[in-house]
């Protein structure tokens, strides 16, 4: 009923109409059980409520709209974190898209909000999720394992760009680099040629040297941590 009315010029700038439409889509989203960054009812709900805020509302409508937007934002955030906790290879793009929706709503509610810390945390969690996948022995081929390793390092480095002093990111980056070196060492067997042995050793030394820097950084941040001392 509302859709053709809200499309008319008289209602295009009516904040209350867009507010009501946003609530309709929010309830349809809740009833449908849809999920994903592009879930249509959830996207429509956020779009309509943002339009209502731009058009202007009375104080009561604005308060309810803020609460509804907060609900939608948290639903995107919970879904992203759920996918990180149950991480599977290839899920990164959807996780980042979900977080992007969450971030956009948060900035719509508070344009001055700094999201760097949360984005840094997300990248650290993604780095850890990739590292756990490497340790799980879930049957990936060597090329996939290398891609997962590079993705893990990339997420840790992205996290450090936003928060270079974070102890957990520095420590986990060091451990992931070190463990990759250990995995390389374990490929050496009685059939390994001398040339292959030297090549593996060179790669391992490089990984261990790379691991030393973030481990030292983590140690400087929290010098009494036993895990870091063991790592060094």
């Amino acid at each position: 009923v509302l859709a053709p009315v809200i499309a008319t010029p008289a209602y295009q700038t009516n904040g209350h109409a867009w507010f009501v439409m946003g609530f309709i889509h929010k309830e349809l989203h809740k009833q449908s059980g849809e999920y994903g960054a592009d879930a249509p009812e959830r996207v429509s709900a956020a779009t309509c409520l943002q339009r209502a805020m731009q058009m202007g509302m009375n104080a009561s409508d604005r308060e309810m709209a803020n609460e509804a937007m907060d609900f939608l934002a948290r639903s995107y955030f919970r879904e992203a974190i759920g996918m990180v906790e149950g991480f599977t290879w290839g899920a990164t793009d959807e996780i980042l898209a979900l977080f992007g929706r969450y971030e956009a709503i948060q900035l719509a509610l508070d344009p001055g909000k700094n999201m760097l810390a949360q984005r840094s945390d997300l990248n650290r969690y993604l780095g850890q999720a990739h590292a756990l996948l490497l340790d799980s022995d879930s049957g990936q081929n060597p090329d996939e394992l290398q891609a997962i390793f590079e993705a893990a390092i990339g997420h840790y480095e992205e996290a450090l760009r936003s928060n270079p002093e974070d102890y957990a990111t520095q420590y986990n980056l060091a451990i992931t680099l070190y463990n990759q070196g250990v995995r390389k060492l374990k490929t050496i067997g009685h059939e390994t040629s001398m040339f292959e042995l030297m090549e593996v050793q060179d790669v391992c030394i490089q990984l261990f040297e790379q691991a030393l820097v973030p481990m030292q950084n983590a140690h400087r941040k929290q010098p009494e941590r036993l895990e870091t001392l063991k790592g060094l």
Side-chain angles (χ1 to χ4, degrees):
V1 172
L2 185 56
V5 176
I6 207 170
T8 62
Y11 281 90
Q12 278 289 293
T13 57
N14 187 305
H16 183 70
W18 286 103
F19 163 76
V20 174
M21 184 64 99
F23 264 85
I24 292 170
H25 283 297
K26 182 173 81 74
E27 292 307 309
L28 288 170
H29 161 66
K30 288 164 65 177
Q31 290 175 20
S32 67
E34 63 182 5
Y35 59 91
D38 296 326
E41 297 295 353
R42 183 162 53 176
V43 170
S44 295
T47 301
C48 290
L49 289 168
Q50 284 178 299
R51 182 72 178 268
M53 290 177 170
Q54 291 166 358
M55 295 301 103
M57 294 173 286
N58 62 45
S60 176
D61 283 359
R62 178 167 289 279
E63 183 179 354
M64 292 177 67
N66 284 343
E67 291 174 357
M69 289 281 278
D70 182 64
F71 165 81
L72 293 170
R74 285 186 287 108
S75 73
Y76 281 120
F77 184 78
R78 284 194 301 269
E79 197 171 319
I81 295 303
M83 290 187 71
V84 173
E85 290 173 348
F87 186 74
T88 56
W89 176 232
T92 303
D93 287 347
E94 181 65 13
I95 292 168
L96 292 175
L98 285 162
F99 186 83
R101 298 277 191 192
Y102 162 74
E103 194 173 45
I105 295 174
Q106 289 292 332
L107 291 173
L109 291 170
D110 181 4
K113 186 168 186 175
N114 189 338
M115 300 296 297
L116 286 177
Q118 279 189 287
R119 185 164 280 275
S120 176
D121 286 343
L122 177 68
N123 275 296
R124 173 164 56 84
Y125 296 146
L126 282 169
Q128 290 173 268
H130 282 82
L132 287 171
L133 196 58
L134 286 171
D135 293 334
S136 68
D137 193 23
S138 51
Q140 280 88 1
N141 62 51
D143 289 340
E144 280 187 338
L145 289 172
Q146 182 62 28
I148 293 169
F149 166 71
E150 290 173 2
I153 300 306
H155 285 297
Y156 287 136
E157 290 175 344
E158 185 64 32
L160 288 171
R161 273 190 279 275
S162 301
N163 187 7
E165 297 301 314
D166 186 59
Y167 167 84
T169 305
Q170 294 280 10
Y171 175 78
N172 284 305
L173 171 59
I175 290 298
T176 301
L177 287 162
Y178 172 80
N179 285 345
Q180 182 72 356
V182 172
R183 275 188 289 273
K184 295 287 185 183
L185 284 177
K186 288 181 178 178
T187 65
I188 297 172
H190 66 278
E191 295 181 348
T192 304
S193 69
M194 184 59 68
F195 175 77
E196 291 171 330
L197 177 64
M198 292 170 64
E199 188 175 30
V200 170
Q201 287 179 330
D202 287 344
V203 171
C204 291
I205 289 169
Q206 184 180 29
L207 286 165
F208 294 148
E209 287 178 342
Q210 289 174 344
L212 181 59
V213 176
M215 191 67 80
Q216 287 174 324
N217 290 338
H219 174 64
R220 279 193 290 270
K221 190 71 178 173
Q222 297 190 29
E224 303 305 319
R225 291 292 290 266
L226 183 60
E227 60 188 7
T228 318
L229 293 168
K230 286 182 176 179
L232 287 170

